[in-house]
Amino acid sequence: MSSSPLSKKRRVSDSETKTGSHCSSSNSVRTELSHTPSNGMAKNGNDAEIDEGLYSRQLYVLGHDAMKRMQRSSVLFYLREEDLGKNRAEVSRTRLAELNSYVPVVAYTGALVDDYLTQFQVVVLTNSPLEEQQRVGDFCHSNGIKLVVADTRGLFGQLFCDFGEEMLVNDTNGEQPLSAMISMITKDASGVVTCLDEARHGFESGDFVTFTEVQGMTELNGCQPVEIKTLGPYTFSICDTTGFSDYVRGGIVSQVKMPQKVAFKPLTASMAEPEFVLTDFAKFERPAQLHLGFQALHSYQRKHSRLPKPWCQADGEELVSLAKEVNSSQTGSAKVDELDDKLIKKLAFVSAGDLAPLNAFIGGLAAQEVLKACTGKFMPIIQWLYFDALECLSEEEGGAMLTEEDCAPRNSRYDGQIAVFGSQLQEELAKQRYFLVGAGAIGCELLKNFAMIGLASGEGEVIVTDMDTIEKSNLNRQFLFRPWDVTKMKSETAAAAVKQMNPSIRITGHQNRVGPDTERVYDDDFFESLHGVANALDNVDARMYMDRRCVYYRKPLLESGTLGTKGNVQVVIPFLTESYSSSQDPPEKSIPICTLKNFPNAIEHTLQVTHTHTHTHTHTHTLQVTHTHSAGHTHTLQFNTVDEYLSIVP
């Protein structure tokens, strides 16, 4: 286990919030990222030092500037009260505060009045009536407060963002700026830049670039960022170069991240003239349909003070009628030519459902939008996002439709799930025996969802294995762990944490590495007893090993992974889909380098090929070897050939 640098611990004392004399049936949780620690380590949010031991991975993605802006932010998450007679905001506050001692969390149980809203930079509304969304939305837009609205209805999700009339996005994608080596620049009204043909330049039309080390056409060196138009994988055009000197050789072109201004419409106006972000191009028409369907749901709730009953045909027909009324009243682009009655009816059938995995997905998106709102990094959602997971339902052609009786409440913690899938599926989930490999960031999310959906809550079992111990840097994303869990085993700690969430789950923690060495443990009998496997691994070799085992034993495999802001999920079903090992990622563009904490142990760790291009179209290759001592001193040597370098290597 690698040790983390000592960090500055800052205690946060709970602060009480005065509430009005009247309390509504709603409540909120406030998080303030700007505060004064009691130990005096920092004076305020501007001067506070970022705990790099805790936020190392997040700093890699966001950078210090974005993290500083997050420190200075106050965010209001607004929820409805409904937690077995307890106030959800007050119940949530303690648990939320445990996740990060640097972020004070305050519960507020008063009315959501305008004066209270003015102290926040971002407001997040969940499960709120449309009238309240419009009132708060109009107020926030006119007062420069950013707004996020997030809702789930069974297998459907909705997200809306309004970040003001003029939001400045400093970095639209968070990627490292691209660079390429130049082989030629022409003198034209739109000069054409040709890059070396070893690798594609990767630029897109509209990107801005600048130049260095150009010989001959030196006017380009250090110039102001120039907008480009891509002509091909190795060429692009720039500004007028006819008045510049003749190009001789060399040069590096580098991408420059330019801030972009983005304008948002307020909620009311955006409802009539919506802009959608597509989540699935195979469902191109659905966002516009669901935009009307969610409004129809609000109308249904106003009329009946409840959502449509699960799989009730009469309620489904009524929602379709309401959706048609909503559509006929539209005067802007929100109006559709023809309503998808079948889709709206399915929305009615499952809208009373409450699914933990979908809540996690939409909640995760909402949290990302809050991060964007606070930091100005990454392009926000403009402005509506609709998501559905109707693939989770069995195809009607292959079996009978669910009935009201199948999905009626059982006074169970799983009633929200039974409302969507019926009681029979819930019984099957309780019997499942699943093997989870890895208890890191993805493993924690999977275990939480397993517990929430009732997986292995009866005769089944979840077996989770992870040989790692908990480090401080894990705490900012592996939410099942707390500061007092550092140095404990991940698998055992995670198993105990989800057992608290759902005492019915049967779960066992192992500390084994998966591979040939543990095939005595994970043998034929073990795999034959499984219903499926979920990977939450951090290396390709282990993934491919588990993939081979699942193919051999014909077990379903859930494969997933993340890298910075990117993620992937692959579902492997025997005899139906390709396996994980059936395809490979393209080779990395960058050369391998060793990190400063490790001594170079392979030739490729210390070699870098630099190119010098001459006007005779010949290439000169030079081997540049850089060695960094532990004290920080760097020595660089150059060799003409690899053999020349190897001749001095012991």
Side-chain angles (χ1 to χ4, degrees):
M1 183 185 74
S2 62
S3 59
S4 301
L6 292 176
S7 61
K8 299 176 177 63
K9 292 292 289 181
R10 292 173 283 178
R11 285 193 170 276
V12 179
S13 57
D14 297 337
S15 57
E16 297 298 325
T17 303
K18 295 181 180 179
T19 63
S21 58
H22 59 288
C23 292
S24 67
S25 62
S26 55
N27 52 73
S28 63
V29 177
R30 170 182 177 174
T31 62
E32 296 180 80
L33 290 89
S34 174
H35 61 280
T36 305
S38 60
N39 63 6
M41 293 302 296
K43 296 178 181 177
N44 52 51
N46 293 318
D47 299 328
E49 293 188 32
I50 296 172
D51 189 335
E52 296 187 3
L54 178 64
Y55 297 115
S56 57
R57 302 290 179 90
Q58 198 163 308
L59 282 165
Y60 172 76
V61 177
L62 297 178
H64 279 80
D65 289 343
M67 288 291 292
K68 286 286 188 181
R69 286 193 286 271
M70 287 180 65
Q71 274 188 327
R72 296 190 291 268
S73 301
S74 294
V75 182
L76 174 69
F77 291 87
Y78 193 63
L79 312 96
R80 302 288 292 178
E81 183 175 347
E82 184 183 348
D83 188 38
L84 296 178
K86 298 179 181 178
N87 184 285
R88 284 204 300 188
E90 293 178 341
V91 170
S92 302
R93 191 201 67 78
T94 304
R95 298 298 183 191
L96 288 170
E98 285 181 358
L99 292 174
N100 193 339
S101 60
Y102 293 170
V103 180
V105 182
V106 179
Y108 172 70
T109 57
L112 196 62
V113 295
D114 293 349
D115 288 344
Y116 185 69
L117 293 172
T118 56
Q119 60 188 304
F120 299 99
Q121 285 78 49
V122 185
V123 172
V124 182
L125 297 177
T126 65
N127 195 25
S128 55
L130 181 59
E131 294 76 16
E132 187 168 60
Q133 293 176 10
Q134 292 174 319
R135 178 184 66 81
V136 173
D138 290 342
F139 178 82
C140 287
H141 189 86
S142 60
N143 286 273
I145 302 170
K146 297 176 175 66
L147 174 72
V148 177
V149 179
D151 270 316
T152 59
R153 293 288 181 262
L155 289 167
F156 296 86
Q158 177 195 56
L159 193 70
F160 169 78
C161 295
D162 173 15
F163 294 165
E165 296 283 353
E166 189 177 280
M167 179 189 181
L168 192 66
V169 180
N170 299 304
D171 185 350
T172 59
N173 59 17
E175 299 287 341
Q176 289 294 319
L178 299 171
S179 63
M181 303 185 72
I182 300 169
S183 63
M184 185 62 193
I185 306 176
T186 65
K187 294 179 68 174
D188 288 304
S190 295
V192 177
V193 179
T194 303
C195 299
L196 291 177
D197 57 8
E198 276 79 3
R200 298 167 180 260
H201 54 63
F203 299 133
E204 297 179 2
S205 294
D207 284 348
F208 285 79
V209 300
T210 189
F211 297 84
T212 56
E213 302 181 28
V214 176
Q215 297 185 40
M217 198 176 286
T218 56
E219 293 88 347
L220 288 175
N221 290 331
C223 67
Q224 292 296 313
V226 178
E227 186 174 0
I228 68 168
K229 179 181 180 181
T230 56
L231 305 175
Y234 308 102
T235 57
F236 58 88
S237 62
I238 54 174
C239 57
D240 186 352
T241 58
T242 54
F244 293 172
S245 306
D246 290 339
Y247 174 79
V248 178
R249 61 175 173 268
I252 298 173
V253 56
S254 301
Q255 183 184 29
V256 178
K257 296 294 185 74
M258 301 294 289
Q260 290 188 23
K261 291 181 179 179
V262 184
F264 292 81
K265 295 189 286 272
L267 177 64
T268 304
S270 187
M271 286 178 63
E273 300 286 347
E275 294 180 76
F276 301 115
V277 172
L278 282 175
T279 59
D280 188 341
F281 285 101
K283 302 175 180 179
F284 187 81
E285 303 293 337
R286 286 195 186 173
Q289 297 283 337
L290 293 176
H291 189 65
L292 300 171
F294 269 77
Q295 292 180 58
L297 276 178
H298 285 292
S299 297
Y300 189 98
Q301 283 184 288
R302 280 196 303 271
K303 183 177 180 180
H304 298 283
S305 299
R306 64 171 176 85
L307 288 164
K309 295 176 184 176
W311 295 91
C312 174
Q313 293 293 333
D315 287 1
E317 294 291 348
E318 184 177 352
L319 189 70
V320 171
S321 298
L322 289 171
K324 289 180 178 178
E325 292 178 12
V326 171
N327 188 41
S328 63
S329 67
Q330 299 295 321
T331 57
S333 62
K335 189 170 186 175
V336 299
D337 295 332
E338 185 177 356
L339 199 68
D340 187 340
D341 294 3
K342 188 176 179 180
L343 178 65
I344 300 301
K345 193 174 287 188
K346 283 186 176 178
L347 175 61
F349 288 163
V350 303
S351 62
D354 192 12
L355 305 176
L358 198 81
N359 292 338
F361 174 67
I362 297 297
L365 288 179
Q368 284 189 165
E369 295 309 301
V370 171
L371 181 150
K372 297 173 187 178
C374 294
T375 65
K377 191 166 186 178
F378 306 111
M379 183 61 70
I381 289 174
I382 306 175
Q383 287 189 256
W384 295 92
L385 181 146
Y386 288 95
F387 175 82
D388 75 80
L390 289 178
E391 297 83 0
C392 295
L393 295 174
S394 61
E395 297 181 5
E396 294 177 24
E397 293 77 11
M401 287 276 290
L402 289 166
T403 66
E404 287 186 63
E405 185 179 354
D406 295 331
C407 304
R410 266 71 170 170
N411 194 26
S412 160
R413 67 178 293 159
Y414 310 115
D415 278 350
Q417 201 159 284
I418 292 172
V420 176
F421 300 114
S423 58
Q424 185 176 349
L425 178 65
Q426 196 60 49
E427 293 170 4
E428 289 298 318
L429 285 173
K431 300 174 185 176
Q432 295 294 299
R433 181 176 167 87
Y434 249 79
F435 185 32
L436 174 60
V437 188
I442 293 177
C444 285
E445 291 287 345
L446 286 171
L447 283 175
K448 179 261 294 181
N449 282 321
F450 287 171
M452 293 296 98
I453 67 175
L455 190 78
S457 59
E459 302 170 9
E461 185 182 16
V462 173
I463 302 97
V464 54
T465 187
D466 195 312
M467 60 182 295
D468 286 347
T469 56
I470 300 166
E471 302 179 23
K472 182 180 179 180
S473 62
N474 301 149
L475 300 179
N476 81 313
R477 64 195 184 283
Q478 298 174 19
F479 69 98
L480 294 181
F481 309 139
R482 300 293 182 268
W484 50 85
D485 294 324
V486 171
T487 72
K488 294 180 182 178
M489 300 303 300
K490 285 186 177 181
S491 58
E492 291 179 348
T493 307
V498 296
K499 191 76 173 175
Q500 287 187 335
M501 294 179 178
N502 186 352
S504 299
I505 189 173
R506 295 180 61 192
I507 184 168
T508 304
H510 291 180
Q511 293 82 47
N512 301 319
R513 183 196 301 271
V514 292
D517 294 343
T518 56
E519 287 181 2
R520 292 182 180 179
V521 179
Y522 308 121
D523 55 12
D524 292 352
D525 291 339
F526 176 83
F527 272 93
E528 292 292 352
S529 70
L530 296 175
H531 291 93
V533 176
N535 275 352
L537 291 159
D538 59 1
N539 68 88
V540 174
D541 290 342
R543 285 186 168 102
M544 295 184 71
Y545 173 81
M546 288 305 302
D547 180 63
R548 291 194 299 269
R549 299 289 276 177
C550 288
V551 169
Y552 181 81
Y553 290 105
R554 301 178 181 179
K555 299 298 178 182
L557 172 66
L558 305 178
E559 167 60 44
S560 56
T562 61
L563 179 63
T565 57
K566 302 180 181 68
N568 76 283
V569 174
Q570 183 179 0
V571 180
V572 180
I573 307 294
F575 309 112
L576 186 62
T577 69
E578 70 173 9
S579 67
Y580 173 80
S581 304
S582 299
S583 60
Q584 292 184 344
D585 292 334
E588 293 290 335
K589 183 177 179 180
S590 59
I591 61 169
I593 59 172
C594 60
T595 57
L596 290 177
K597 66 179 180 181
N598 291 324
F599 191 86
N601 55 65
I603 292 176
E604 57 265 34
H605 289 167
T606 56
L607 295 184
Q608 180 170 336
V609 180
T610 58
H611 304 264
T612 303
H613 192 274
T614 68
H615 67 281
T616 57
H617 300 287
T618 60
H619 294 280
T620 301
H621 301 277
T622 303
L623 301 179
Q624 182 173 290
V625 181
T626 302
H627 176 214
T628 302
H629 293 277
S630 58
H633 304 299
T634 299
H635 298 287
T636 301
L637 300 174
Q638 289 195 154
F639 302 89
N640 293 321
T641 65
V642 174
D643 290 336
E644 185 178 340
Y645 166 73
L646 292 175
S647 66
I648 68 167
V649 177

